[in-house]
Amino acid sequence: MIPGLALAFGVGLAALGIRHALPPSPYVSDVLVAIALGALILNTPLARLLRLPRPSENAATHAYAKGLTFTGKWVLRGAIVLMGLKVQTKFLGAGEVALILGVAAASIPSAFFVAHAMGTWLGLRRPLVDLVAGGTMICGASAIQAIAPVTGGERDDQGIAIATVFVFSVTALLAFRPIALYLEIDPSYAGLWAGLSVNDLSSAIAVGQQMGGAGDAGGVMAAASKSARVLLLAPTLVAFAVLRGHAAAGAEGDLRKRITSHLPGFLLGYLALAAARALGDRVFAGNSAWAAALDVNRTMVDVAMVSVSAAIGLHLELRGLLRAGVRALAVGGVTSVWMASVTLSMICAGARGSTYTVVLVGAGALAASYLLWRIEKGRALRKNGLRVGGNAEMIGTGQHHELRVR
């Protein structure tokens, strides 16, 4: 794993140096520079110089593969665990926890309805729409791989869905921070927005890191809200198994194993360090050693996150971004925009302390998306019924025919 780890950490540290050498700008962050630098290496002759194959070349056994995979999974999870030590009691109170749960309860099912309304309208296969919806609702590629056996998604469907959600993870990395700055959203609430709407785990945390704030409030809140959202993969798998149980024979027997294997164990470490921070702030308040330990932890998280971001860039093959196809991208795009808009509206209302508006927006989003799905489903059924019924009931001879539509 050493070559891949060295490449990711080397690019990440270079990004830190470049960022500090550039003039200060609220629109340029360490994370963004790391992603751009990784993508630059992959999409230029530098890749050939380093003997770094592109993802489309299917060279999963190249020298960097294991290290980059380890960085994208385990270094990221380690960084999230260490973020627990950055949680201050002022960040997460009862109001913030209630807001996270309320936003997730409204945005996730409404995203499902919107995805299937769009998929039906565009004539996409239902298993593919299930995968795009699941990846957008929960946690990107991880959710897609977990859901596929339950919904009957084929290998090609998984590839298309993963490419689709990846496109909008990249879009979020570029767009969320300027939007948050334009709307003057507090960094902690901007971090909540990232954690509750960006699909991929690494991208959600990276977007939150860009939001900044005192004590890295954006990154901390993104980690907290995204971890809570990842936990919803278990009930989502159960729901898909109930809805699509007939689509994949034998998937039911494997369901419990799949749920267990996809539960985020790193969340326990995150919670343990968050509790340690709360206790340490009480017991060691004003202690220089405690302050130094927090500074070391902060540096470790920053280095880990720019390295994870570099690994994202080193997988960002520009030629392959549109591999998903126009219709799948349309479903993913509309669903992602819906998810981002609903969560942003509810979080902004929550930041103003307007609980009534939060509930109203969430309930309205659920009702509107469900109605849209029912209307589109009914239209498709009528269209198919006319087509099939007309062909089945055409009778008569010569110039005289009768069409009976059931």
Side-chain angles (χ1 to χ4, degrees):
M1 293 191 294
I2 291 176
L5 285 170
L7 180 61
F9 276 84
V11 173
L13 291 172
L16 283 174
I18 292 171
R19 174 66 187 88
H20 288 295
L22 292 172
S25 170
Y27 296 99
V28 180
S29 64
D30 301 338
V31 165
L32 193 60
V33 173
I35 292 171
L37 189 56
L40 178 67
I41 291 172
L42 181 67
N43 293 278
T44 63
L46 287 172
R48 185 174 300 174
L49 182 65
L50 293 171
R51 296 182 180 179
L52 175 68
R54 295 180 178 181
S56 62
E57 295 172 6
N58 295 320
T61 58
H62 64 84
Y64 301 103
K66 288 185 179 180
L68 290 176
T69 300
F70 184 89
T71 302
K73 184 175 182 178
W74 295 108
V75 174
L76 170 64
R77 295 183 178 193
I80 294 173
V81 170
L82 292 176
M83 280 184 181
L85 209 56
K86 301 175 75 172
V87 175
Q88 301 176 45
T89 53
K90 64 181 180 180
F91 287 164
L92 276 172
E96 286 74 18
V97 172
L99 183 61
I100 290 172
L101 296 176
V103 171
S107 61
I108 289 176
S110 68
F112 173 86
F113 292 132
V114 168
H116 278 274
M118 279 294 298
T120 302
W121 183 56
L122 293 173
L124 251 62
R125 296 176 57 249
R126 191 173 68 182
L128 175 56
V129 180
D130 280 340
L131 297 184
V132 173
T136 305
M137 289 155 50
I138 307 295
C139 52
S142 298
I144 290 168
Q145 292 165 352
I147 291 169
V150 179
T151 60
E154 299 173 355
R155 187 174 297 274
D156 287 346
D157 294 330
Q158 293 181 55
I160 292 171
I162 289 171
T164 298
V165 298
F166 184 64
V167 167
F168 296 105
S169 290
V170 174
T171 303
L173 284 161
L174 297 174
F176 270 47
R177 194 182 192 202
I179 293 172
L181 289 172
Y182 177 77
L183 297 177
E184 298 182 348
I185 305 172
D186 182 87
S188 61
Y189 285 101
L192 276 182
W193 180 38
L196 288 167
S197 57
V198 179
N199 54 57
D200 180 66
L201 176 62
S202 57
S203 299
I205 307 302
V207 172
Q209 284 283 108
Q210 292 186 73
M211 302 303 180
D216 188 26
V220 171
M221 296 301 278
S225 55
K226 183 62 179 179
S227 297
R229 187 169 154 210
V230 171
L231 280 174
L232 295 175
L233 179 58
T236 301
L237 275 171
V238 173
F240 273 115
V242 172
L243 289 171
R244 315 289 192 230
H246 62 281
E252 296 84 350
D254 191 43
L255 183 59
R256 182 178 299 177
K257 182 179 178 181
R258 300 191 69 79
I259 290 173
T260 303
S261 64
H262 285 87
L263 284 176
F266 62 87
L267 183 57
L268 297 177
Y270 174 85
L271 293 173
L273 286 189
R277 174 62 188 266
L279 180 63
D281 284 345
R282 288 178 176 270
V283 176
F284 304 117
N287 186 289
S288 58
W290 177 244
L294 295 179
D295 286 339
V296 170
N297 179 75
R298 186 179 303 111
T299 300
M300 290 174 65
V301 171
D302 289 344
V303 171
M305 283 309 305
V306 293
S307 302
V308 170
S309 301
I312 294 174
L314 289 165
H315 285 88
L316 182 55
E317 185 180 0
L318 300 182
R319 290 188 311 178
L321 283 181
L322 296 180
R323 183 171 61 88
V326 175
R327 290 188 298 166
L329 284 172
V331 172
V334 170
T335 308
S336 296
V337 170
W338 175 270
M339 190 97 173
S341 301
V342 171
T343 53
L344 179 61
S345 300
M346 295 179 73
I347 287 169
C348 287
R352 295 193 300 267
S354 179
T355 304
Y356 174 78
T357 305
V358 172
V359 174
L360 188 63
V361 171
L366 268 174
S369 60
Y370 178 76
L371 182 61
L372 179 65
W373 172 66
R374 291 295 299 179
I375 290 173
E376 188 55 38
K377 183 178 179 180
R379 185 197 64 81
L381 287 173
R382 288 193 299 272
K383 181 179 178 181
N384 291 335
L386 283 170
R387 184 183 298 119
V388 174
N391 291 337
E393 296 293 325
M394 185 74 74
I395 59 174
T397 58
Q399 297 181 348
H400 301 283
H401 295 80
E402 180 180 359
L403 179 63
R404 298 175 183 169
V405 181
R406 283 177 290 198

